[in-house]
Structures are given as structure tokens and as C-alpha cells.
Amino acid sequence: MLFPLALFALGLGAVKHCAAEPSVPSSTVFSTYVVHERRAIEPTDWTISRRPNANKRLPLRIGLTQQNVENLESMLLAVSHPESPEYGKLWTPQQVVDAFAPSQATVTKVVGWLKDFGFSQDDIKISANKGWIQVNAQLSEVEDLLKTEYHVYQHKETGDEQLSCHEYSVPAEIKEHIDLIRPTVHFNHRPSPQSETKFKRAGGLGQPSSGVGPKQRPAQPVPPPVATVPPGLIDCDEMITPGCLRALYNVPTFNPAAADKNSYGIVEFTPQAFLGGDLDVFFSNFSPNLVGSRPNTVLIDGAVVQTTDQSFGMNGESDLDLEYAMILTNPQTVTLLQTGDLVQGAGFDNWLDAVDGSFCTFEGGDDPFQDGIYPDPAPGGFDGPESCGIVAPPFVVSTSYGQQEVTITAFSATRQCTEYGKLGLMGTTILYSSGDEGVAGRGGQCLDSQGLPTTNGIMFNPQFPASCPFVTAVGATQVNPGSTISDPEGACEQVIFSGGGFSNIFSIPDYQKSAVSTFLTDHTPPYTSAEFNTSGSRAYPDLAANGANYVVGVDGELQLVFGTSCASPVVGSFITMVNDARLAAGKGPVGFINPAIYSDTFKDAFNDITLGSNPGCNTIGFNATEGWDPVTGVGTPNVAKLIPLFLALP
Ligand SMILES: *[C@@H]1O[C@H](CO)[C@@H](O)[C@H](O)[C@H]1NC(C)=O
Ligand SMILES: *[C@@H]1O[C@H](CO)[C@@H](O)[C@H](O)[C@H]1NC(C)=O
């Protein structure tokens, strides 16, 4: 137990101050080191500038292995599979903390290792939920502890500096007790306001795409209106309006009966922001009584809804998300989770922190290189404490941002994905857009034989967090050119292609096994493991909605916008309607919807999409086919059928 370690610690106390002998194993107990994490790709835009000062203090944080993570999927299935007797029995936050806290054995082992190395009890702090151990250490000590070497990286444009190592090791018998250690290899370019181009479609965390619009109707004679299509809906193949969406997805008139209990959140990352005037341009065209309406804004980590820097890149995403979420769910209040300050920006973990106190820094999972860490000492940075558990998680959260899965380590992705699963247990539906590059990644990049993104790689390049099995990934469809809302939609093939494919990190969850295997058997794609992960991994998207030609008020005018970014907040609006019906009936929110939407019971509530594909990597990608496919998932919702099905569940 602990006593022999304590003896070692006493005996080897001097090692800590004797950094000149790093390679001497500090004890026979921990002599075999194994690599724990290694960065798959070097950060673009950053170059190694120098070795850091060995005396620099590093707030080292060790994320301990949580208990029951291997049971998370079955726990989620129990509360969210329509045939489960436990359906709808949501967990309380305390139950979640209790179930997943690391075991005492894990804490003891890791603390024993640190003491054996020579750290004193005073150097070691354990978070309240036991999820994290923080060690007050000097850089040279950390390098010895983790058998690694740190460098200062400098950003080519901004001159910003970050500390990082390429890989690090831990003793073999400690490995299973640790998820990840920070700061180490995690290194990702967070959005920052200094460089405008990062926020264009090809950069940043993923953006909606702008068309030049509104497009003019073609000069040739307009085809005679189809009798069943009302006059206002003739042009839905060229311009999507809220009316088109209501018609396409059979949306009943929405008169909320539980608006005070219900909640719907939209995540945006500073400096991207909505403009009040843009909402009004949109509302005045489509719902004049909403002019002047604004979201309920929650500012996370010093966020500002900035209005000084205006462009499609700065306003397009936020305007789109809020205009459609607000108009479709009106008079439901929509909560804007505006995340990150103007200096540092923020990552996905920051909004998780804000809705889920158990995930916060020291308590939780921030990545100092990927996620903004507050207080931010930079000039103009947010100097308040980090926003931790400041708002209850909304019942539905839609986030239209993503990153290449290859840019995040498996440990980091898994830790974040686990948090989405926990939110599902507590009743939140997490929606992420599936990406706009078909089977390719950002900038059309695909993976080479080493798994690294390049312009001429041939392996498909999946997107995260869409590839996390505990989120609902939303792909994009279109009203095919020349078709009407009465015709079947196809996969989106204008300006963008629906992101879809197979994860290289997560294995396939139970709820989609049968659907995915039917697709691979009945419509076997002409690809091998050189193109996509054929080992049985998480496939996405889960469902889809229209993502082409959205009329959006941006920068003072109506523009046409494309993207899975359009589809996610629309699906979120529909789930919010479902939740309203359930809350009004005294039931809970639906939470994690994937097991339900893949089930036979829900088959009729989706329009199967069988046209089009999602090209990328010099292929046509995957075909949209009968049944689930990695282009449009189970299809687009039929809301009038979806509501009663969810309402019938306990
Ligand atoms: C394929 O996915 C699995 C997870 O299901 C992962 O363990 C494996 O490394 C992936 N293969 C490649 C080549 O990335
Ligand atoms: C897509 O479907 C077409 C027509 O059935 C077929 O020829 C093609 O091989 C399919 N492509 C893929 C990638 O599955």
C-alpha cells in the first residue's frame, strides 16, 4: 500500500532537487516507462523558438482515469433506449459525480508515484471530485517525471508563445490510472481575433459557407407551380426560408405549453458574434412581431458579443444559428452561450465548463493550449475567474463548430466525449454539425499513410466532436435544383458536402451497429481500409436537415448561407419542440436521442434520403442510400410524427 512508497519518498527526497540526473530511475518500483501520449501532427503556424527556462513553474495537471467510463454507453442506453424500462430516468449531477469519480486506488497509485519521485504532500493537490491532481513543479522536474523535453513554440503571425512537448511517458503501472497530463502534447490553434483569415470558411473551427446571394431566379421561364405547393414555397430549391423548413419537415404549429421550464442553447465562440440589426433584418422579412427579440445571452469566460469587427466570417455563423433557432421555436427563449474572450478565444471544453461545474479547470478538463484558460493575463484579456457551472445545462445545445479528429489526441477526445455522455445522462441533447467537406477534412485535406492530413492524402478525414458516439451529429441535405418541397431531398451538393464517415478514435456504439452493418452489407462502398476505418468504428452523421441556400440576415442584408451549420440549429429547434410537449405532460427532456432515432419504433419519423453523396479525397465519398448512410444518417425529421413518438415514452 502507501507505506513503502512513503519510505521511498523519504529516501529519495533529494532527487527532486537533483535534476541533473534525470535518467537514473528513482526507484525499482517505477522503472519501466511507456509513452502515454504522442501528438499525431505538429501544429501548423507554430515554430519551435527555444528551450524554456528550466526553473519555470508549470501548473501540471494530471487527469485521473474515471471509474465506470466503460459503462457509460450502457448507462446511457438504459435511460435513452425507447425499449428500456429505465427510459427517461435521468441522473442528477451528484449521481454523475459519484459514478465517475476516480477510485481511491487510482488516487493512491498516482500520488504514490509523485511522492516516490520526490514531490512533497504540499506540492500535490487533489480536486474536490478527485478527477484531477495538480502538481506544483518546475519545468525541469516535469521533464524528468515524464521523460520528455519541452519547447517554446512561437506563432508565426502573432508572436504568441506556447509550451509544448511532442510526447511524454509514465511508468507502465501508472498508465492505466491516467487519462492525460497537461500541459503536454495538446496543441491546437485556438480561434483568435488577430487573423481574419482563420475565420473564413477554410479555417478556424469550421464555419458556414457564404454564397453570393440572394441568387436571382434564372431568366428562363419559371416551371408551372405544382398544385400542392403553396406560392411562398415554390422557390425552396433556391432559397430556404423558415416556411420551407416547416413544410419540408411537417412541423406543426408551435404553441409552447412549457416554455418556462424548457431551454435551448446555442454555442458561439468569440470573436464571432451576432448583430442585433441582422436578426431584425431577418425577422422583419419572416416574422415582424419578433423584431427587437434577442437571445438570452450567457457570457462565458469574459466573452463579449463584439460588434466592431463585422464580416460574414465574424457574423455569419451566429446570425444564422440564432435567426433560425429563434424563429422556429418562438416564443421559447433561446440561450446564447457566448464563449471566450477577445484575446484568447476558447475551445469546446470552455462551454462544457460553464454548464457542468464538475468539468472545470482543476476540477475538470481544460486544455491550456486548446481551450482558453482564465484568468487571462494578456493585455485586454479576461481577468475574472473561469466560468464554472454558471448556468444549468440547457436541454438542447447546438454547436456548429468542429475540428479534424486528427488534431486532438485520443485521450483528450475521449475525455471530452465522456462529458457529452454525462450531459446525456442528465437530460441534455448535444448536437454538432458534421462538417462541410464530405469525407475530407478542413480545407479538403485527407490523411496520408501515416494518418497525417495533407492535400494529396487518400484516407478520409473524420471530424470531431461529430465522431463522438455520445453526441448527435447532423449532416446536410438540399432540395434538389428544379425540385419542390414535395419531392425527396438529396444529400447537400451545393457549395458544401455533408460531412460523414467513420471515426479513427471511437469504436462503434451499440445503437448504430445494425444500421451501419446493413449499409456496409447492402451498399458496400468500393473502398478498403486505405480509405476509411473498416475496423468497426463510430459512424456519422446520425441524422440530417437541409443545409443549402438558407436566407440569413448578415451584415445588414439577406444572404444565402450553406452548411451543416444550418442543419444543426434547425434540428435543435425540433428537439426543443419535442421537449416542450414532454415537459407539458410532466415528463423529462429527451436527452440523448441516438438510441431512439436508430430504433425501429422511430423509423416512420424520418424521411430516408437516397440521393446524392458526400465527395472528398478525390472520390464521390459515400452514397446516400436506403436506410442509414454516412452522408445523411437516418434521414431528415418528420416533426409531426417525431413529437408523439417521444411523447409516448415514459
Ligand atoms: C480505427 O478505429 C479504431 C476505433 O474503433 C481505432 O482504435 C483504430 O486505431 C482506427 N484505425 C486507424 C487506422 O486509425
Ligand atoms: C454509388 O452508387 C452508384 C450507383 O448505384 C454506384 O455505381 C457506385 O459504386 C456507388 N458508390 C459508392 C461510393 O458507394
Side-chain angles (χ1 to χ4, degrees):
M1 296 284 291
L2 243 189
F3 66 90
L5 299 177
L7 289 181
F8 283 123
L10 284 177
L12 294 168
V15 168
K16 185 191 160 200
H17 306 289
C18 185
E21 293 168 296
S23 56
V24 178
S26 52
S27 81
T28 50
V29 180
F30 299 118
S31 54
T32 315
Y33 269 64
V34 288
V35 173
H36 190 60
E37 284 192 280
R38 177 182 289 138
R39 193 165 48 234
I41 56 170
E42 284 308 297
T44 47
D45 300 335
W46 297 79
T47 46
I48 289 183
S49 81
R50 60 175 189 282
R51 288 270 290 147
N53 182 338
N55 300 327
K56 185 182 166 62
R57 298 216 78 80
L58 213 58
L60 194 70
R61 289 175 295 151
I62 303 175
L64 302 177
T65 307
Q66 305 177 73
Q67 293 185 88
N68 282 314
V69 171
E70 69 283 7
N71 298 322
L72 174 54
E73 189 186 338
S74 55
M75 291 163 165
L76 261 177
L77 274 185
V79 300
S80 58
H81 195 286
E83 271 131 50
S84 164
E86 306 288 306
Y87 185 92
K89 297 200 172 135
L90 300 173
W91 292 38
T92 64
Q94 190 58 50
Q95 284 174 313
V96 169
V97 168
D98 292 347
F100 296 97
S103 71
Q104 192 52 48
T106 286
V107 176
T108 304
K109 269 270 185 193
V110 177
V111 169
W113 166 50
L114 296 169
K115 287 189 169 173
D116 177 64
F117 180 82
F119 289 108
S120 73
Q121 190 66 56
D122 286 350
D123 295 329
I124 303 171
K125 292 201 180 69
I126 304 176
S127 70
N129 68 1
K130 297 200 170 53
W132 290 82
I133 289 180
Q134 179 162 336
V135 189
N136 180 18
Q138 285 181 4
L139 186 111
S140 58
E141 295 169 335
V142 174
E143 291 189 333
D144 292 349
L145 182 74
L146 303 179
K147 308 269 180 272
T148 188
E149 197 168 82
Y150 281 84
H151 286 96
V152 175
Y153 287 72
Q154 193 166 39
H155 191 263
K156 287 175 193 160
E157 279 170 32
T158 64
D160 275 1
E161 294 192 333
Q162 298 191 3
L163 258 190
S164 187
C165 57
H166 183 69
E167 63 172 44
Y168 66 95
S169 301
V170 299
E173 57 268 71
I174 292 297
K175 189 171 171 60
E176 64 176 294
H177 298 289
I178 290 179
D179 269 355
L180 73 180
I181 300 182
R182 289 168 170 168
T184 53
V185 299
H186 315 104
F187 202 125
N188 215 12
H189 201 160
R190 56 188 179 230
S192 86
Q194 282 92 343
S195 168
E196 168 91 7
T197 55
K198 286 199 293 282
F199 300 96
K200 298 242 163 76
R201 189 171 103 71
L205 280 166
Q207 298 296 307
S209 307
S210 166
V212 275
K215 284 186 200 154
Q216 298 296 311
R217 277 194 64 81
Q220 63 261 38
V222 178
V226 181
T228 55
V229 179
L233 303 178
I234 299 288
D235 292 335
C236 295
D237 61 329
E238 301 200 329
M239 283 186 233
I240 287 289
T241 60
C244 294
L245 294 171
R246 290 191 189 100
L248 276 168
Y249 303 129
N250 197 16
V251 182
T253 307
F254 185 51
N255 292 312
D260 52 332
K261 300 193 191 86
N262 204 358
S263 50
Y264 179 18
I266 299 282
V267 176
E268 302 295 342
F269 292 101
T270 309
Q272 300 178 59
F274 78 93
L275 296 173
D278 288 350
L279 303 194
D280 288 343
V281 165
F282 180 75
F283 294 146
S284 61
N285 274 276
F286 298 107
S287 191
N289 64 320
L290 271 178
V291 170
S293 294
R294 299 291 178 263
N296 170 28
T297 299
V298 175
L299 299 174
I300 297 169
D301 293 334
V304 279
V305 181
Q306 65 88 18
T307 55
T308 45
D309 203 351
Q310 301 187 6
S311 63
F312 181 82
M314 287 290 159
N315 311 117
E317 181 70 67
S318 301
D319 284 340
L320 156 71
D321 296 345
L322 291 167
E323 287 167 18
Y324 278 84
M326 289 174 72
I327 207 164
L328 290 172
T329 64
N330 172 53
Q332 176 64 49
T333 304
V334 171
T335 300
L336 166 63
L337 301 168
Q338 182 78 37
T339 307
D341 71 3
L342 279 169
V343 173
Q344 235 192 53
F348 298 119
D349 289 338
N350 292 82
W351 82 258
L352 276 169
D353 285 345
V355 301
D356 175 4
S358 71
F359 191 57
C360 288
T361 301
F362 193 30
E363 304 272 291
D366 274 348
D367 179 335
F369 292 149
Q370 185 143 330
D371 308 316
I373 298 294
Y374 301 93
D376 176 356
F382 174 56
D383 62 3
E386 179 173 51
S387 302
C388 174
I390 56 167
V391 57
F395 293 146
V396 176
V397 179
S398 170
T399 309
S400 290
Y401 295 76
Q403 67 187 105
Q404 300 176 83
E405 193 184 66
V406 68
T407 60
I408 185 167
T409 67
F411 279 104
S412 218
T414 303
R415 186 121 182 158
Q416 193 186 113
C417 183
T418 299
E419 293 306 311
Y420 295 129
K422 292 178 189 173
L423 284 169
L425 284 175
M426 295 185 281
T428 293
T429 307
I430 308 282
L431 301 169
Y432 271 94
S433 54
S434 71
D436 291 352
E437 311 262 1
V439 294
R442 173 180 153 191
Q445 292 197 328
C446 303
L447 307 177
D448 66 15
S449 53
Q450 262 99 61
L452 307 182
T454 92
T455 39
N456 46 20
I458 62 161
M459 187 169 189
F460 302 165
N461 188 2
Q463 165 114 353
F464 181 81
S467 68
C468 161
F470 305 138
V471 309
T472 301
V474 187
T477 56
Q478 66 180 16
V479 176
N480 289 312
S483 296
T484 73
I485 50 160
S486 324
D487 300 313
E489 285 192 274
C492 187
E493 295 180 334
Q494 297 171 64
V495 184
I496 68 114
F497 297 115
S498 184
F502 294 78
S503 172
N504 287 326
I505 294 180
F506 299 100
S507 57
I508 190 165
D510 257 359
Y511 62 76
Q512 63 170 194
K513 273 185 182 154
S514 147
V516 174
S517 116
T518 302
F519 168 79
L520 291 174
T521 309
D522 294 357
H523 307 279
T524 313
Y527 307 124
T528 67
S529 55
E531 280 92 10
F532 76 96
N533 194 329
T534 51
S535 72
S537 60
R538 149 76 168 159
Y540 70 96
D542 298 299
L543 79 177
N546 193 291
N549 297 303
Y550 274 51
V551 178
V552 178
V554 188
D555 299 333
E557 57 185 3
L558 294 177
Q559 302 197 33
L560 291 186
V561 178
F562 303 76
T564 51
S565 282
C566 304
S568 183
V570 166
V571 170
S573 301
F574 299 158
I575 303 300
T576 298
M577 295 175 189
V578 167
N579 280 341
D580 180 79
R582 284 182 55 90
L583 294 167
K587 299 181 177 186
V590 285
F592 186 50
I593 60 171
N594 294 10
I597 68 176
Y598 281 84
S599 72
D600 278 347
T601 323
F602 278 69
K603 217 171 170 16
D604 283 350
F606 293 92
N607 311 300
D608 193 3
I609 305 297
T610 60
L611 300 169
S613 71
N614 57 354
C617 309
N618 291 315
T619 72
I620 67 149
F622 296 106
N623 281 333
T625 59
E626 204 176 296
W628 178 91
D629 52 71
V631 189
T632 58
V634 298
T636 61
N638 180 327
V639 182
K641 291 185 175 170
L642 199 59
I643 293 175
L645 282 171
F646 271 121
L647 189 54
L649 295 173

